[in-house]
């Protein structure tokens, strides 16, 4: 049999039972590789359930730094009998199947084109640990230990991680180390170590960090001065709230009095959560909420109020598989249209599309500036993949001289010195008007905020002409927004081409890798990653420049493509769908295959690139 | 249509202790139906704020949607107002209050706005003991959508079209008591002498102060057989006690008979004096309030007055242990942890 041989470029998948304590062992595995200086990207594939169902942890190791998912599993670590048949089938020919041989495998599931490596995980744990709970838990460390031998993972690095993890409970260090040793010794005694898959220490991660997108988002909100967070639990956004609270406890408590410089309200539902955000921002604080698709649906009425009454709000939409409850623990980008146009009537909203934790941090902070500057809701469009998985990311950056842009808010002094105040007067001709916060001035600047039509002085009106004036002026802000949102990033191919690929958010990882794969197939593409909606002229130019643009996204209906057509009058024939919506992050191979298949200029172009 | 009142004020108009005339607390001219109970409640709000010398800009008025929720336009023109969406005033007020604990929050709602679409938010604002005055202008119907029964319409009450309500009524005051509201009162739009001191006491109360104010809808629910009509309420009204609000440091002018009166001290130094107490009722005993309310219901009385007050009430900011400075007044220096902290955060992720 031909075994797979690879150094620093393979995929290891762990098949576990959820609630069995495997997460911490798996994290240590990924962290150890990261600390060996090798780029790594782990992904949790978990059920909507608390205990007992299959869960997988897939780790791609790639020295070149491609962090997207890759098809195929080189090594499976199987500790879940429930999914074993499927797990054996998932291994690539020549790959490795590491399993607990305390019990023998049935003959009929054995494949002869992969390597079976049995480690008696349970048996060794029963021999060395008395407590049944510990026997379960340390089984996880036994397979991590076996991996130190099987793929040459640095044991000293791993031991360091264990020591850090249990710094506060040092009693747990020796039994963990024992489990590592049991696994490693057994593997060495019974198999050729390392196998064809091998790690080699590198210096390829630089100053990067390993962090979940949601944690970075929460930190972004804290750095941006958010003082009120209102939320309702929903996967995959809950950890934004949790991280906001835990970090606020460290960073936002007055050391002398122990009092909090933040308010954290678990609302009764998403309607209330967004209502609280709007109440708080109306009253001059920075406030935000984090939710997912179902929450956005519930918040829609209020989102329209904030849009029309011109109240800033920051919403984090950590997207998950829809529609309805959909696939609540799987990733997608399915809320593009429902968020871009959330609420009844003519509404449209500013969206930001982060693709790394560092961008979650930066874009969340930017979202607060944009919301205040434009006096409108701003959405950070993350997703489950980005939010809930650890990602290798550039470090979070903050410039201490950065000043919050609180937008056009009048002080008592401003009011004192001005002749007339009209809340909705477009004084600066950019569509954005001056607002006042309650409590500012004893006799000046009060006004009535309402979701009904009103004139420039915030007085109720049903006069159609006034209404048109107001909604057109609000549309003017949309133009202003274009000058403020982050610009797209472009990567030009070496030679001229008629093809562009266009994508956003977490698709970034795989799209850039796909460029290289396409190149190998003789297809050159230029790439644009869109960072924000509204679309800036660069997006329009990019589409104009190419004969065909492949729009890569993770939903069934090509929603982003619809948005491009709707907003830019782009020709639908020019925009070719490249989609993935099975709930798993899109892979580079998948993108490449779809582009090769859908290539409208197939015969000519595959061989030689033409000039545009 | 929005009417603008003349802003000219006669120089000899009486002023309160911060120099404002009563007219300074008024709003735009009401567009509600002539005789609508809601307008009388607005007038009582104006009177209470004028007499208490509330600084207009230190009060925020918020509402949902309905005829009742329109009233914030018709009082306190110098205060910021927020007419939000149907049934969601409590959440907007919660957010506003989290942002600035120093203002007075006056929320106005209707029985449809509160007892149906907004029930969830109402209930949760009570749980959190949000520091606000929450007034329901209760007419037993949806005025603005032309008279449908609301969830507070009494069983057996007859609508203008002649149909009899076959569903149980939600008693908002009773519910607020059950849910642990720290101040609960009921009044009648037509009884200003009772309503004005109740509003003042509610403003002084540091926590959720709920006022269920029966407010007849003259257009859709003032007919014979309606239990929310002016006539019915006047015939069946009963009060727990006569109420008097005494501001901080003021002299008590009335002498109350022993055993027939009670005084409740409020946090800000003011107090509430109650005379002619109903038997078996103590304003700071929740059980006695629940019992008294139930007894009145059985007898077919409309029980008004202060029902319950918890003088030890701790509001949401106290419960959350927030800093004294309003959160909306903090800037980068107080809120942003800075680059050095971020460096150590980054290294904790390596
Ligand atoms: C989401 C939504 N549904 C329905 C309405 C229509 N609507 C407006 S006011 C109202 C009822 C108001 O009743 P109430 O709160 O009792 O106020 P009243 O007019 O009686 O003072 C309804 C159903 C709305 N504005 N919003
Ligand atoms: S319809 Fe009823 S509630 Fe509405 S304004 Fe007229 S009287 Fe008042
Ligand atoms: Mg009503």
């Amino acid at each position: 049999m031909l075994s797979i041989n690879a150094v620093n470029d393979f995929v290891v998948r762990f098949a576990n039972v959820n609630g069995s304590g495997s997460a911490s062992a798996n994290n240590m595995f990924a962290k150890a590789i990261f600390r060996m200086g090798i780029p790594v990207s782990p992904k949790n594939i978990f059920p909507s359930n608390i205990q007992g169902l299959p869960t997988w942890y897939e780790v791609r190791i790639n020295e070149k730094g491609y962090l997207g998912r890759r098809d195929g599993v080189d090594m499976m670590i199987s500790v879940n009998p429930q999914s074993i048949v499927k797990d054996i089938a998932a291994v690539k020919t020549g790959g490795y199947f590491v399993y607990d041989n305390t019990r023998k495998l049935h003959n009929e599931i054995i494949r002869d084109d992969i390597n079976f490596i049995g480690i008696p995980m349970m048996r060794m744990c029963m021999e060395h640990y008395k407590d049944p709970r510990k026997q379960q838990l340390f089984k996880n460390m036994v397979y991590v230990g076996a991996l130190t031998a099987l793929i040459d993972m640095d044991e000293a690095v791993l031991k360091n991680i264990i020591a850090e993890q249990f710094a506060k409970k040092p009693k747990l260090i020796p039994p963990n180390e024992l489990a590592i040793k049991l696994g490693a010794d057994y593997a060495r005694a019974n198999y050729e170590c390392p196998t064809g898959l091998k790690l080699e220490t590198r210096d390829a991660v630089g100053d990067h960090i390993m962090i979940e997108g949601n944690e970075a988002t929460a930190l972004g909100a804290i750095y941006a001065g958010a003082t009120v967070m209102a939320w309702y639990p929903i996967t995959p956004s809950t950890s934004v709230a949790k991280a906001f609270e835990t970090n606020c406890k460290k960073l936002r408590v007055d050391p002398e009095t122990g009092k909090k410089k933040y308010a954290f309200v678990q609302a009764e539902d998403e309607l209330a959560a967004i209502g609280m955000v709007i109440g708080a921002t109306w009253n001059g604080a920075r406030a935000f909420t984090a939710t997912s698709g179902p929450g956005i649906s519930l918040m829609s009425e209020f989102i329209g109020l904030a849009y029309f009454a011109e109240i800033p709000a920051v919403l984090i939409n950590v997207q998950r598989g829809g529609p309805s409850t959909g696939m609540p623990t799987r990733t997608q980008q399915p809320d593009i249209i429902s968020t871009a146009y959330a609420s009844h009537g003519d509404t449209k909203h500013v969206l930001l599309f982060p693709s790394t934790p560092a961008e979650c941090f930066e874009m969340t902070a930017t979202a607060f500036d944009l919301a205040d500057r434009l006096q409108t809701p701003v959405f950070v469009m993350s997703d489950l993949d980005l939010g809930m998985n650890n990602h290798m990311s550039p470090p979070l950056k903050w410039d201490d001289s950065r000043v919050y842009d609180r937008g056009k808010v009048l002080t008592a002094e401003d009011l004192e010195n001005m002749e007339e105040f009209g809340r909705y007067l477009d004084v600066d001709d950019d569509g954005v008007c001056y607002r006042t916060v309650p409590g500012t001035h004893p006799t000046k600047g009060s006004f009535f905020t309402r979701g009904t039509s009103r004139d420039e002085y915030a007085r109720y009106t049903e006069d159609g002409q006034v209404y048109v004036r107001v909604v057109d002026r609000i549309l003017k802000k949309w133009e202003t927004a274009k000058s403020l949102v982050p610009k797209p990033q472009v990567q030009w191919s070496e030679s001229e081409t008629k093809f562009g690929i266009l994508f956003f958010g977490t698709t970034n990882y795989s799209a850039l890798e796909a460029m290289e794969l396409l190149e190998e197939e003789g297809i050159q593409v230029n790439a644009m990653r869109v960072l924000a909606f509204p679309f800036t002229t660069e997006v329009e130019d990019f589409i104009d420049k190419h004969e065909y643009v492949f729009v890569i996204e993770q939903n069934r209906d090509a929603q982003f493509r619809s948005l491009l057509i709707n907003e830019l009058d782009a020709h639908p024939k020019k925009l070719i769908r490249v989609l993935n919506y099975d709930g798993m992050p899109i892979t580079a191979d998948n993108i490449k295959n779809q582009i090769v298949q859908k290539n409208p200029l197939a015969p000519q172009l595959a061989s030689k690139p033409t000039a545009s | 249509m929005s009417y603008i009142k003349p802003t000219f004020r006669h120089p000899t108009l009486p002023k309160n202790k911060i120099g404002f005339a009563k007219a300074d607390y008024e709003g735009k001219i009401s567009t509600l139906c002539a005789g609508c109970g809601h307008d009388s409640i607005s007038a009582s709000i104006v009177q209470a704020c004028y007499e208490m010398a509330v600084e207009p800009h230190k009060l925020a008025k918020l509402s949902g949607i309905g005829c009742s929720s329109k009233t914030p336009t018709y009082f306190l023109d110098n205060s910021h107002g927020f007419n939000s969406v149907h049934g969601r005033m409590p959440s907007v007020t919660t957010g506003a209050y989290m942002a600035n604990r120093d203002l007075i929050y006056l929320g106005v709602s209707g029985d449809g706005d509160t007892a149906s679409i907004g029930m969830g938010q109402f209930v949760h604002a009570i749980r959190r003991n949000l520091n606000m005055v929450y007034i329901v202008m209760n007419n037993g119907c949806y005025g603005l959508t032309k008279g449908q029964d609301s969830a507070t319409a009494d069983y057996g009450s007859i609508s203008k079209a002649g149909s009899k309500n076959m569903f149980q009524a939600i008693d908002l005051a009773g519910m607020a008591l059950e849910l642990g509201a720290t101040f609960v009162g009921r009044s009648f739009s037509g009884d200003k002498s009772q309503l004005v001191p109740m509003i003042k006491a509610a403003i002084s109360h540091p926590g959720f102060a709920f006022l269920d104010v029966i407010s007849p809808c003259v257009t859709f629910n003032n007919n014979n057989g309606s239990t929310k009509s002016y006539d019915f309420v006047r015939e069946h009204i009963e009060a727990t006690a006569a109420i008097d609000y005494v501001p901080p440091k003021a002299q008590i002018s009335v002498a109350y008979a022993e055993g027939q009166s009670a005084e409740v001290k409020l946090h800000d130094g003011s107090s509430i004096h109650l005379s002619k107490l109903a038997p078996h009722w103590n304003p700071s005993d929740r059980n006695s309030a629940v019992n008294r309310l139930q007894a009145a219901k059985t007898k077919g009385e409309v029980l008004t007055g202060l029902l319950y007050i918890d003088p030890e009430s701790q509001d949401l900011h106290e419960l959350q242990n927030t800093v004294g400075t309003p959160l909306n007044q903090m800037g980068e220096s107080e809120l942003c942890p800075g680059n050095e902290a971020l460096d150590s955060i980054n290294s904790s992720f390596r």
Side-chain angles (χ1 to χ4, degrees):
Chain A
M1 183 188 23
L2 213 63
S3 293
I4 299 175
N5 285 304
V7 177
N8 291 348
D9 182 17
F10 53 92
V11 172
V12 180
R13 191 189 256 216
F14 299 80
N16 301 105
V17 178
N18 80 327
S20 68
S22 55
S24 130
N26 296 349
N27 280 326
M28 285 190 207
F29 171 78
K31 189 151 204 176
I33 297 171
F34 174 71
R35 289 211 183 154
M36 287 175 73
I38 312 164
V40 59
S41 75
K43 301 207 185 294
N44 278 299
I45 306 156
F46 60 101
S48 178
N49 184 66
I50 303 303
Q51 206 175 48
L53 287 186
T55 166
W56 292 270
Y57 186 72
E58 188 178 288
V59 182
R60 179 174 185 193
I61 298 144
N62 182 272
E63 153 176 317
K64 281 203 215 155
Y66 286 128
L67 299 175
R69 247 191 96 230
R70 200 209 68 190
D71 288 334
V73 176
D74 300 290
M75 179 179 273
M76 179 74 75
I77 314 298
S78 157
V79 260
N80 184 3
Q82 284 176 80
S83 60
I84 199 161
V85 175
K86 205 172 152 189
D87 294 332
I88 290 176
V91 179
K92 280 174 36 180
T93 298
Y96 305 83
F97 188 82
V98 181
Y99 68 104
D100 187 350
N101 65 356
T102 305
R103 264 198 241 142
K104 227 175 113 8
L105 288 182
H106 289 292
N107 279 337
E108 66 271 18
I109 57 173
I110 293 185
R111 274 170 63 184
D112 52 15
D113 64 336
I114 60 173
N115 303 284
F116 283 85
I117 299 175
I119 310 277
M121 305 174 196
M122 199 61 207
R123 201 195 75 213
M124 291 197 292
C125 284
M126 308 251 280
E127 287 165 9
H128 289 88
Y129 305 96
K130 285 205 189 69
D131 172 7
R133 172 81 191 140
K134 286 209 173 117
Q135 293 170 352
Q136 267 301 327
L137 275 178
F138 286 115
K139 213 168 88 174
N140 302 313
M141 293 306 286
V142 169
Y143 65 68
V144 176
L147 284 166
T148 59
L150 294 170
I151 61 170
D152 246 1
M153 187 166 69
D154 191 329
E155 208 173 309
V157 170
L158 184 64
K159 283 190 175 159
N160 249 330
I161 294 172
I162 293 174
E164 282 168 24
Q165 187 117 338
F166 300 108
K168 286 197 184 124
K169 297 177 200 154
K171 261 204 214 148
L172 287 176
I173 297 174
N176 271 287
E177 289 189 344
L178 171 65
I180 298 290
K181 187 170 151 43
L182 290 173
D185 288 354
Y186 186 93
R188 278 197 194 100
N190 294 280
Y191 299 95
E192 194 187 319
C193 288
T195 58
L197 305 179
K198 231 177 100 172
L199 297 174
E200 278 175 14
T201 300
R202 290 281 184 274
D203 189 12
V205 305
D207 63 351
H208 278 46
I209 57 173
M210 278 278 271
I211 185 172
E212 291 179 9
N214 283 352
E215 177 108 28
T217 299
L219 286 164
I222 293 172
Y223 271 74
T227 49
V228 179
M229 176 180 200
W231 64 292
Y232 187 76
I234 183 169
T235 305
S237 72
T238 305
S239 50
V240 176
K242 187 170 169 264
F244 182 77
E245 193 187 27
T246 356
N247 284 295
C248 276
K249 280 183 182 161
K250 291 183 210 149
L251 301 166
R252 280 281 192 76
V253 173
D254 186 323
E256 275 155 40
T257 61
K259 292 194 179 289
K260 297 176 183 167
K261 290 191 267 183
Y262 66 96
F264 180 71
V265 190
Q266 183 183 325
E268 52 271 34
D269 54 32
E270 285 88 347
L271 287 81
I274 186 65
M276 290 174 196
V277 169
I278 290 171
T281 55
W282 173 77
N283 219 1
R286 283 192 153 178
F288 79 115
T289 187
T291 188
S292 192
I296 296 290
S297 294
L298 286 183
M299 291 177 182
S300 284
E301 186 189 20
F302 256 131
I303 291 169
L305 173 74
Y307 174 82
F308 192 43
E310 304 183 62
I311 302 166
V314 171
L315 297 91
I316 314 295
N317 182 1
V318 189
Q319 299 167 92
R320 66 186 212 183
S324 187
T325 309
M327 291 216 283
T329 60
R330 295 289 190 271
T331 198
Q332 267 188 5
Q333 300 173 318
D335 302 339
I336 306 302
I337 299 278
S338 66
T339 311
Y341 300 122
S343 208
H344 51 278
D346 290 324
T347 56
K348 45 183 163 182
H349 312 292
V350 176
L351 315 178
L352 301 175
F353 301 103
S355 73
T356 61
E359 284 183 0
C360 287
F361 178 81
E362 173 56 34
M363 284 188 177
T364 302
T366 304
F368 283 95
D369 283 350
L370 287 172
D372 273 342
R373 169 61 41 191
L374 295 163
Q375 301 178 5
T376 198
V378 175
F379 296 78
V380 179
M381 302 292 283
S382 180
D383 62 27
L384 182 141
D385 178 21
L386 178 55
M388 288 185 73
N389 287 313
N390 266 313
H391 291 265
M392 202 177 96
S393 161
L396 312 182
K397 283 211 177 78
W398 187 263
D399 176 356
D400 277 339
S401 65
R402 181 167 172 164
V403 184
Y404 301 155
D405 180 3
R406 300 304 318 267
K408 301 183 187 179
V409 183
L410 296 171
T411 62
E413 208 186 344
D414 296 334
L415 285 163
E416 203 53 63
N417 295 329
M418 68 198 287
E419 271 176 23
E420 109 179 309
F421 168 70
R423 167 64 182 97
Y424 299 110
L425 282 173
D426 186 7
V427 179
D428 303 327
D429 202 30
D430 57 359
V432 187
C433 311
Y434 286 83
R435 67 180 186 125
T436 57
V437 165
T440 303
H441 191 285
T443 52
K444 293 179 172 161
S446 68
F447 71 97
F448 207 82
T449 302
R450 42 164 55 94
T452 46
S453 55
R454 77 283 159 156
D455 66 10
E456 284 78 357
Y457 297 88
R459 292 176 305 216
Y460 180 70
T461 177
E462 290 173 9
D463 180 327
Q465 283 183 344
V466 178
Y467 169 83
V468 168
R469 218 160 59 211
V470 170
V471 294
D472 285 350
R473 197 261 307 145
I474 293 176
L475 194 59
K476 194 146 108 196
K477 291 204 292 186
W478 195 244
E479 292 308 311
T480 305
K482 289 180 188 170
S483 66
L484 299 173
V485 297
K487 301 238 179 281
Q489 288 180 355
V490 192
Q491 198 163 315
W492 302 106
S493 78
E494 304 271 307
S495 43
E496 293 255 312
T497 170
K498 295 183 174 176
F499 292 122
I501 58 174
L502 190 148
F503 50 89
F504 58 95
T506 46
T507 310
N508 183 41
Y509 296 110
S510 296
L512 294 180
E513 186 178 354
M515 270 180 92
E516 191 169 296
L517 300 178
L518 285 164
E519 179 104 41
E520 287 165 14
E521 303 265 337
I523 301 180
Q524 312 275 345
V525 295
N526 295 322
M528 170 171 273
R529 176 162 72 98
V530 178
L531 274 64
F533 179 66
F535 301 128
T536 51
T537 49
E538 291 85 353
V539 181
E540 209 167 351
D541 294 346
F542 185 82
I543 295 175
D544 285 349
K545 254 201 187 80
H546 297 91
E547 203 163 318
Y548 293 99
V549 174
F550 295 93
V551 183
I552 312 166
E553 52 186 314
Q554 307 188 46
N555 57 65
R556 185 192 69 182
D557 291 345
Q559 298 184 25
F560 203 82
R561 178 179 172 273
S562 300
L563 203 59
L564 291 165
I565 294 168
N566 194 42
E567 294 291 327
L568 300 177
D569 284 337
H571 198 296
K573 286 247 160 64
K574 275 187 88 160
L575 303 180
I576 302 171
R577 299 172 172 88
V578 175
L579 307 172
N580 182 70
Y581 46 91
D582 63 0
M584 296 296 289
I586 194 166
T587 64
D589 286 306
N590 184 349
I591 295 173
K592 180 209 72 181
N593 292 338
Q594 289 192 50
I595 291 178
V596 170
Q597 257 168 39
K598 296 180 180 180
N599 178 357
L601 306 174
Q604 313 94 295
L605 222 110
S607 48
K608 58 170 197 312
T610 27
S612 62
Chain B
M1 183 78 197
S2 217
Y3 299 84
I4 301 167
K5 285 183 192 172
T7 46
F8 173 75
R9 307 262 185 264
H10 199 278
T12 59
L13 279 178
K15 302 226 164 109
N16 64 13
K17 67 170 194 249
I18 55 166
F20 287 111
K22 194 173 144 193
D24 294 320
Y25 292 88
E26 286 171 355
K28 308 261 186 293
I29 288 173
S30 170
T31 60
L32 302 181
C33 309
C36 174
H38 301 350
D39 279 336
S40 312
I41 303 174
S42 297
S44 290
I45 292 170
V46 169
Q47 184 74 26
C49 291
Y50 165 66
E51 287 178 9
M52 274 183 102
V54 167
E55 290 178 89
H57 71 300
K58 292 290 173 65
L59 182 147
K61 42 182 186 171
L62 301 100
S63 62
I65 297 287
C67 296
S68 35
S69 291
K70 283 184 178 188
T71 58
T73 316
Y74 316 135
F75 58 77
L76 304 184
D77 216 17
N78 286 316
S79 302
H80 269 71
F82 195 155
N83 198 186
S84 67
V85 286
H86 197 20
R88 318 293 173 202
M89 173 275 283
S91 64
V92 178
T93 312
T94 307
Y97 181 58
M98 293 330 290
N100 185 355
R101 61 188 297 172
D102 280 357
L103 303 185
I104 296 166
Y105 295 92
L106 175 60
V108 172
S109 179
D111 43 322
D113 202 61
T114 291
S116 289
I117 193 167
M119 183 59 104
Q121 299 212 339
F122 171 63
V123 164
H124 286 272
I126 294 177
R127 267 187 72 226
R128 298 190 183 102
N129 202 22
L130 186 63
N131 189 355
M132 71 175 296
V133 179
Y134 190 119
I135 296 178
V136 169
M137 301 184 171
N138 187 349
N139 54 16
C141 72
Y142 292 5
L144 195 60
T145 50
K146 299 195 183 263
Q148 300 83 357
D149 278 349
S150 80
T152 66
D154 290 306
Y155 176 82
S157 183
I158 312 247
S159 76
K160 194 178 175 188
S163 64
K164 192 168 147 187
N165 173 37
M166 299 309 288
F167 302 121
Q168 290 302 320
I170 293 175
D171 179 343
L172 290 170
M175 230 182 84
L177 276 173
E178 287 287 346
L179 290 167
T182 51
F183 181 113
V184 182
R186 180 181 286 145
S187 192
F188 172 45
S189 62
D191 188 355
K192 215 171 166 185
S193 64
Q194 183 194 56
L195 185 52
V196 171
M198 294 236 298
I199 294 171
K200 290 184 191 169
I203 289 176
S204 290
H205 176 70
F208 192 84
F210 178 61
L211 294 176
D212 177 16
V213 187
I214 314 288
S215 176
C217 169
V218 288
T219 307
F220 297 112
N221 202 14
N222 198 31
N223 48 287
N224 276 339
S226 160
T227 59
K228 295 277 194 294
S229 68
Y230 278 113
D231 287 349
F232 185 93
V233 177
R234 284 205 180 99
E235 275 160 33
H236 296 80
I237 197 161
E238 198 59 50
T240 52
I243 179 168
D244 204 3
Y245 172 83
V246 185
K249 297 193 205 93
Q251 289 296 315
I252 301 166
S253 52
V254 205
Y256 294 100
E258 188 75 16
Q260 275 297 297
S261 70
E263 183 195 27
V264 184
K265 282 251 174 256
L266 300 175
H267 273 223
D268 62 0
S270 61
S271 57
I272 304 171
H273 290 263
L274 300 153
S275 57
K276 296 178 283 183
L277 289 188
H280 312 301
W281 171 74
N282 168 353
S284 46
D285 175 355
R286 191 180 293 276
N287 287 337
S288 78
V290 173
N291 291 339
R292 180 71 193 86
L293 200 62
Q294 200 55 44
K297 206 179 196 173
T298 315
K299 279 198 273 176
E301 291 169 0
V302 179
L303 185 68
T304 62
L306 179 71
L307 296 169
Y308 174 71
I309 180 169
D310 173 4
E312 301 304 317
S313 162
Q314 277 204 313
D315 81 14
L316 185 50
H317 275 293
E318 286 173 60
L319 297 171
Q320 290 234 10
N321 199 27
T322 331
V323 282
T325 315
L327 296 175
N328 71 349
Q329 279 156 39
M330 295 183 173
E332 292 85 348
S333 59
E334 287 111 320
L335 300 176
C336 185
N339 216 353
E340 215 177 295
L342 199 56
D343 281 346
S344 67
I345 291 171
N346 279 323
S347 33
S348 74
F349 289 104
R350 285 193 180 112

